[in-house]
Amino acid sequence: MKRIIIILIVSFSVLSCSNSKQAYLFTSFREPATAGLYLASSEDGYHWKDLGGPYLKPEAGKSKIMRDPSIVKGKNDVYHMVWTTDWKGGDGFGYASSKDLIHWSEQQYIHVMKNEPEVVNVWAPEIFYDDEEDQYIIIWASTIPFRYAKGQEEEKNNHRMYYVTTKDFKTFSDTKLFFEPGFSVIDCVLLKRAKNDYVLVLKDNTRPMRNIKVAFGKTPLGPFENISEPFTDHLSEGPTVLKKDNDWLIYYDNYGAKNYQAIRTSDFKNFENVSSKIQLPEGHKHGTITTISKKKLKVLIENKK
């Protein structure tokens, strides 16, 4: 599925496990999407161990589904997660937090598009921790018919990216336009390389394209410019990124070929397909990557047995 986007950036944003006490954690969901949160872990960023699930069954939203779970480890090692609650209809996304991924807060439904009565969807939220402003940025894709120019897209499939910010997940800023590249766009992921140096990984969702590109900005709220040529196959989506030594790994759902793939890059200009080097659990679907201490990971695994 596509995604509403919530983005979390952090010095945490550079998801690197150079510290041997940390591992990578990959969120996922399974079909049917009513099942909830599934997890996988990795020490090297390439080979993923299935941790099973569900760890959290969805209760928020009319459809009570969980797609595209996006997670970030924020301040005080608290995990914040958002997800798609409805394929069509609805004006928000689900949210919950946890310190250990075992015990979760009460689920909330965040009405981010309540002032847009014609909104078609809220897809694939991504969460990003902005360490410069000490706030969380959540981005997602929505269609508002007849709002923007379109190509071959139907009016109800012409997405743009929107965002809110929050410091405490109790009060949120007004919803604003996040990214309007002049074409239908979904599944955006925000990352920070350095101060005043941000990269937006995005899916060009236009009918001729439906592949993944990158754009560049000086702040986490853009503007994002210099959109690249696509570096994935036609019919690919749902990117997420981790930092591995001096490289970045961009995982994505290559849904046209019904498999998961990965691209390695050091500069977001030159891209190498490293899909032959990765291993993911069967059935793994659109999620995001964060880090977890090996101590917490051990407790998580023991609790699931």
Side-chain angles (χ1 to χ4, degrees):
M1 142 166 253
K2 293 31 186 177
R3 326 171 10 58
I4 68 190
I5 298 177
I6 302 173
I7 292 179
L8 231 116
I9 261 191
V10 76
S11 306
F12 312 142
S13 205
V14 178
L15 298 176
S16 179
C17 283
S18 54
N19 185 335
S20 61
K21 294 182 179 181
Q22 296 286 315
Y24 296 104
L25 190 75
F26 207 150
T27 63
S28 179
F29 72 98
R30 298 287 188 274
E31 300 290 3
T34 51
L37 175 65
Y38 283 72
L39 298 172
S41 65
S42 174
E43 293 193 18
D44 65 2
Y46 288 86
H47 300 88
W48 297 87
K49 177 182 178 181
D50 188 1
L51 301 181
Y55 287 85
L56 181 67
K57 291 184 68 67
E59 299 174 353
K62 293 180 180 179
S63 302
K64 291 183 170 52
I65 63 171
M66 179 183 290
R67 302 180 69 92
D68 325 316
S70 172
I71 196 167
V72 64
K73 184 167 65 175
K75 297 173 64 175
N76 302 317
D77 286 344
V78 174
Y79 291 94
H80 299 278
M81 188 172 71
V82 294
W83 63 91
T84 304
T85 61
D86 300 277
W87 180 255
K88 291 289 176 68
D91 60 10
F93 52 79
Y95 165 76
S97 64
S98 175
K99 292 185 176 181
D100 57 9
L101 304 170
I102 300 168
H103 305 93
W104 290 84
S105 68
E106 182 179 354
Q107 296 178 40
Q108 299 179 46
Y109 184 74
I110 312 300
H111 296 269
V112 289
M113 298 297 277
K114 61 181 180 297
N115 293 327
E116 294 288 353
E118 302 301 317
V119 69
V120 173
N121 53 359
V122 175
W123 270 359
E126 285 287 331
I127 191 167
F128 174 88
Y129 178 67
D130 177 6
D131 58 337
E132 303 281 346
E133 298 294 334
D134 185 25
Q135 65 181 0
Y136 296 90
I137 303 171
I138 302 167
I139 61 173
W140 68 91
S142 284
T143 290
I144 302 172
F146 306 102
R147 179 69 56 87
Y148 301 103
K150 67 180 185 65
Q152 300 177 30
E153 280 59 60
E154 297 293 333
E155 282 295 343
K156 292 187 177 181
N157 196 38
N158 188 26
H159 297 79
R160 296 301 187 272
M161 297 299 302
Y162 296 84
Y163 79 96
V164 292
T165 64
T166 183
K167 290 181 178 291
D168 57 11
F169 294 92
K170 296 177 182 178
T171 59
F172 295 82
S173 68
D174 292 338
T175 296
K176 295 181 180 179
L177 182 66
F178 177 77
F179 185 48
E180 205 293 82
F183 55 80
S184 181
V185 58
I186 63 173
D187 292 0
C188 292
V189 174
L190 181 61
L191 62 94
K192 180 181 182 180
R193 290 192 289 186
K195 187 176 178 64
N196 301 324
D197 185 2
Y198 295 83
V199 177
L200 186 68
V201 186
L202 61 108
K203 180 188 177 183
D204 181 338
N205 200 43
T206 58
R207 298 304 90 183
M209 304 303 288
R210 287 186 280 181
N211 45 31
I212 299 174
K213 303 176 177 180
V214 293
F216 305 89
K218 294 182 179 180
T219 80
L221 295 177
F224 290 94
E225 302 171 324
N226 300 318
I227 300 171
S228 73
E229 293 298 314
F231 55 86
T232 66
D233 295 338
H234 179 58
L235 301 182
S236 53
E237 65 185 14
T240 188
V241 185
L242 66 80
K243 183 75 180 296
K244 172 69 175 176
D245 300 322
N246 294 321
D247 294 320
W248 302 83
L249 294 181
I250 305 172
Y251 279 87
Y252 60 95
D253 185 350
N254 195 46
Y255 68 96
K258 295 182 171 58
N259 58 36
Y260 237 81
Q261 295 200 9
I263 296 289
R264 182 166 58 198
T265 183
S266 60
D267 56 9
F268 292 93
K269 295 179 181 178
N270 300 286
F271 301 92
E272 176 190 5
N273 192 301
V274 292
S275 300
S276 63
K277 301 179 185 296
I278 68 172
Q279 184 177 353
L280 281 162
E282 184 177 355
H284 183 86
K285 296 179 76 69
H286 187 156
T288 58
I289 300 171
T290 185
T291 59
I292 186 171
S293 71
K294 290 183 179 178
K295 182 178 180 180
K296 281 189 176 182
L297 180 59
K298 182 179 179 181
V299 173
L300 185 69
I301 293 172
E302 289 297 322
N303 183 79
K304 193 61 180 174
K305 289 181 178 178

